[in-house]
Amino acid sequence: MSKINQLESLRVLKKVYELGSFTGAAKQLNLSVARVSKSVDRLELELKTKLFVRSTRHLQATDNGTRCYQYGIKMLEQWEQLTDEVTDAQFKSQGNIKVGVPMSWGLSVFSTISAKFMAKYPNITIDVHMTDKYVNVFEGEYDLVLRLASDLEDSTLLCKKLKGYKLVVCATPEYLLKHSELKSPEDLVNHRCLVFSQDGSNTKWVFSKQSKSINIHANAHLKSNNSLLLKDAMLSHVGIAVVPDFIVGQYIKAGQLIPLLTEYSTKELNLYSLRPANKLLPKRLQLFNQFLLEELSL
């Protein structure tokens, strides 16, 4: 078997293992199902072992299949790193980076950062996918996923906290003039609340003061899974919202929004970077990570 065919077979094995499907692997690799099946057959013949147990409904990796996958991804990453380094040596840093970013943060913060990065590294292209839904790093073939959350638990990925953002309770001066005074979280029951909710069901706001936690079930006049929409609604003087400071900071500085309940704490929203733990870092991604950290520290 030629070296090139070995590399292709390892790429096929990686996709079949991760997706659990010959058809899915063929679709992502833009190959025929027959070619995918033949590539796996070649590997099994050369290694003299069964890598997958096939049935009409199910595809299960054997112990040797899992072992081959674990070694195979390391070999593929080493090959990719070698080609990256050789390319970098000849043509400087280049290539594509596929990144998944949260929608509101992407439009408010990342759009500026990505433009600066492309100006500095014109030979590196960025494929940006913006969504507030959970992103599967493996299935989407992402080099890096950025995620906003209070905390994360995902042992299969390398996770790094990049920055913390405060959640701010605020409203416009015009809204506050027309509605009752807000002295404590309990007073929110008398106000029109604009609530971030991923699935439309969670309307709970959590505050704390002197180690005491206060849970408020907001009277939601508007629910949305997009904080930018809530910000626009606030600026139209229709209610109070709890939103990240990266969205409302400029409006607070300009006096268009007033921060409320400042003596109470809310949960911090953290920005995390996620990438596969078994994947080596090519030069272009090293540059991107470093640039991202520098920009977020400003």
Side-chain angles (χ1 to χ4, degrees):
M1 188 188 302
S2 71
K3 298 298 181 185
I4 296 300
N5 282 339
Q6 283 182 342
L7 285 171
E8 179 183 296
S9 293
L10 287 175
R11 291 189 182 103
V12 168
L13 171 72
K14 176 178 179 291
K15 280 297 164 194
V16 171
Y17 184 93
E18 291 173 354
L19 300 177
S21 165
F22 280 18
T23 302
K27 186 176 180 180
Q28 283 210 0
L29 294 169
N30 198 26
L31 299 173
S32 67
V33 176
R35 185 166 176 176
V36 166
S37 179
K38 188 175 181 180
S39 291
V40 173
D41 289 342
R42 281 203 304 261
L43 269 180
E44 290 180 332
L45 182 63
E46 179 151 322
L47 296 172
K48 298 180 176 60
T49 187
K50 204 74 174 171
L51 301 178
F52 296 96
V53 177
R54 305 167 175 86
S55 69
T56 55
R57 292 187 176 182
H58 190 61
L59 185 69
Q60 178 67 46
T62 63
D63 289 343
N64 282 335
T66 298
R67 190 174 295 111
C68 187
Y69 166 78
Q70 291 170 341
Y71 277 96
I73 55 177
K74 292 177 182 177
M75 293 169 66
L76 287 171
E77 292 303 328
Q78 288 171 350
W79 175 257
E80 182 179 342
Q81 187 177 43
L82 172 62
T83 55
D84 280 339
E85 289 179 359
V86 170
T87 301
D88 285 346
Q90 297 181 73
F91 306 108
K92 299 183 179 180
S93 298
Q94 65 178 30
N96 185 65
I97 301 171
K98 186 174 181 181
V99 188
V101 302
M103 179 69 72
S104 297
W105 182 84
L107 294 172
S108 303
V109 181
F110 185 74
S111 55
T112 301
I113 293 176
S114 60
K116 289 181 179 179
F117 180 81
M118 288 187 292
K120 186 173 182 179
Y121 300 103
N123 293 322
I124 299 178
T125 58
I126 309 177
D127 184 4
V128 182
H129 290 246
M130 290 195 290
T131 178
D132 288 324
K133 293 182 179 180
Y134 174 84
V135 172
N136 188 304
V137 178
F138 294 106
E139 288 184 7
E141 294 189 297
Y142 290 96
D143 295 301
L144 189 72
V145 167
L146 303 176
R147 191 172 294 165
L148 283 170
S150 296
D151 50 61
L152 284 181
E153 291 183 10
D154 198 335
S155 60
T156 64
L157 299 170
L158 283 178
C159 172
K160 182 176 182 178
K161 179 181 173 181
L162 301 179
K163 190 177 180 68
Y165 294 102
K166 290 182 179 179
L167 290 172
V168 185
V169 188
C170 51
T172 61
E174 291 85 350
Y175 171 86
L176 295 172
L177 280 173
K178 296 178 181 179
H179 294 81
S180 59
E181 190 176 2
L182 185 64
K183 292 183 177 180
S184 70
E186 288 84 357
D187 293 333
L188 285 165
V189 297
N190 300 316
H191 284 267
R192 299 168 67 90
C193 297
L194 316 174
V195 180
F196 179 88
S197 179
Q198 195 66 262
D199 59 5
S201 62
N202 183 19
T203 60
K204 184 173 72 173
W205 286 347
V206 181
F207 301 87
S208 61
K209 185 178 182 181
Q210 298 176 347
S211 301
K212 180 183 177 182
S213 182
I214 304 169
N215 297 326
I216 300 297
H217 290 278
N219 182 19
H221 280 67
L222 172 65
K223 288 185 287 186
S224 175
N225 64 347
N226 189 288
S227 295
L228 291 175
L229 187 147
L230 300 179
K231 178 262 295 179
D232 288 343
M234 271 197 298
L235 292 173
S236 297
H237 323 303
V238 298
I240 295 174
V242 180
V243 289
D245 56 4
F246 64 78
I247 289 178
V248 295
Q250 61 178 311
Y251 301 99
I252 291 174
K253 287 181 181 179
Q256 293 175 266
L257 290 173
I258 305 297
L260 306 167
L261 302 176
T262 54
E263 65 273 28
Y264 293 86
S265 299
T266 56
K267 277 189 175 182
E268 187 177 65
L269 197 59
N270 298 315
L271 179 70
Y272 295 95
S273 68
L274 303 168
R275 65 181 183 87
N278 52 21
K279 193 170 184 178
L280 296 174
L281 211 59
K283 181 69 173 179
R284 60 184 179 274
L285 198 52
Q286 292 177 29
L287 293 171
F288 181 78
N289 280 340
Q290 184 60 36
F291 189 87
L292 188 60
L293 282 171
E294 290 172 358
E295 287 294 314
L296 290 173
S297 66
L298 296 177

